[in-house]
Amino acid sequence: MTTPVCTSASTAAVPSTQAPAYPSFAAYVRARQPVLLRTARSLTANQSDAEDLLQTALAKTYTAWERIEDHRALDGYVRRALLNTRTSQWRKRKVDEFACEELPEPDPVACAPDPAEQQVLRDAMWRAIMKLPVRQRAMVVLRYYEDLSEVQTAEVLGVSVGTVKSAVSRALGKLRDDPELDRVR
């Protein structure tokens, strides 16, 4: 069974011989403020919002201080007040719109590349790769499309690393000289 936190929430009475964990609200705030501020900071975007949120939650706690029976559960009470307050703030948030003379348009240079142009480039590249001899084509695909190292490519094809280097170098030279790729560059 849980211990009631607030007298208005239950009819059970705490014996008067039990001393509260914190003799006053001020003592509680002095002792627990750093911990509660960290909790508030985790709920907000910046430090000043966290301080405002904690202040609001502590104000709500202060108004209920006399009703709180179990002062050992104060942190839970304040955390719940923090969360409820933050949720209320989030629900009430106001979206500001400002009128301006010019509509903000995206910078055409900063836009993402056109997918159609990217597809044209890919198609041209594959047509150029297909013109390469089979061995060079295999080495280019393994090196640059499968992202294998020169050593791994040599192992897969059963050739020396030097053969891979020279064949890939010749293949890249042919791709640079391909007139079809000149049109899309």
Side-chain angles (χ1 to χ4, degrees):
M1 182 168 183
T2 60
T3 305
V5 176
C6 190
T7 55
S8 64
S10 111
T11 56
V14 173
S16 60
T17 59
Q18 182 181 11
Y22 296 99
S24 71
F25 179 75
Y28 171 74
V29 171
R30 275 193 302 276
R32 301 299 294 163
Q33 184 175 12
V35 174
L36 296 171
L37 186 57
R38 278 194 304 268
T39 303
R41 182 65 179 100
S42 69
L43 296 172
T44 60
N46 60 46
Q47 185 70 23
S48 61
D49 288 344
E51 291 168 356
D52 292 344
L53 177 63
L54 178 59
Q55 197 67 21
T56 303
L58 288 174
K60 291 178 181 181
T61 304
Y62 181 75
T63 60
W65 185 258
E66 297 300 321
R67 295 184 319 228
I68 299 173
E69 293 177 356
D70 186 3
H71 282 204
R72 293 172 299 177
L74 279 171
D75 281 353
Y77 187 93
V78 175
R79 282 191 192 103
R80 176 48 65 185
L82 283 168
L83 187 60
N84 290 346
T85 303
R86 182 64 183 137
T87 302
S88 294
Q89 289 172 348
W90 179 78
R91 286 181 180 150
K92 293 176 186 175
R93 75 184 187 278
K94 185 175 137 185
V95 178
D96 292 327
E97 292 183 18
F98 299 101
C100 58
E101 292 182 21
E102 293 182 27
L103 290 176
E105 296 295 329
D107 186 14
V109 176
C111 291
D114 183 15
E117 290 177 17
Q118 289 180 326
Q119 188 61 45
V120 167
L121 179 60
R122 269 197 283 313
D123 290 344
M125 181 60 81
W126 271 114
R127 282 192 301 275
I129 288 173
M130 294 306 288
K131 292 178 193 174
L132 294 173
V134 176
R135 190 168 159 174
Q136 286 181 357
R137 183 181 334 140
M139 290 182 190
V140 167
V141 168
L142 289 173
R143 279 288 287 131
Y144 298 105
Y145 284 90
E146 295 296 321
D147 202 27
L148 297 182
S149 68
E150 292 168 342
V151 174
Q152 292 169 325
T153 303
E155 288 175 4
V156 169
L157 296 175
V159 296
S160 70
V161 175
T163 303
V164 171
K165 288 180 180 181
S166 63
V168 167
S169 175
R170 282 192 300 275
L172 292 178
K174 287 180 183 180
L175 291 174
R176 275 188 221 103
D177 294 337
D178 191 302
E180 190 173 345
L181 291 178
D182 282 339
R183 284 184 275 155
V184 292
R185 282 188 208 158

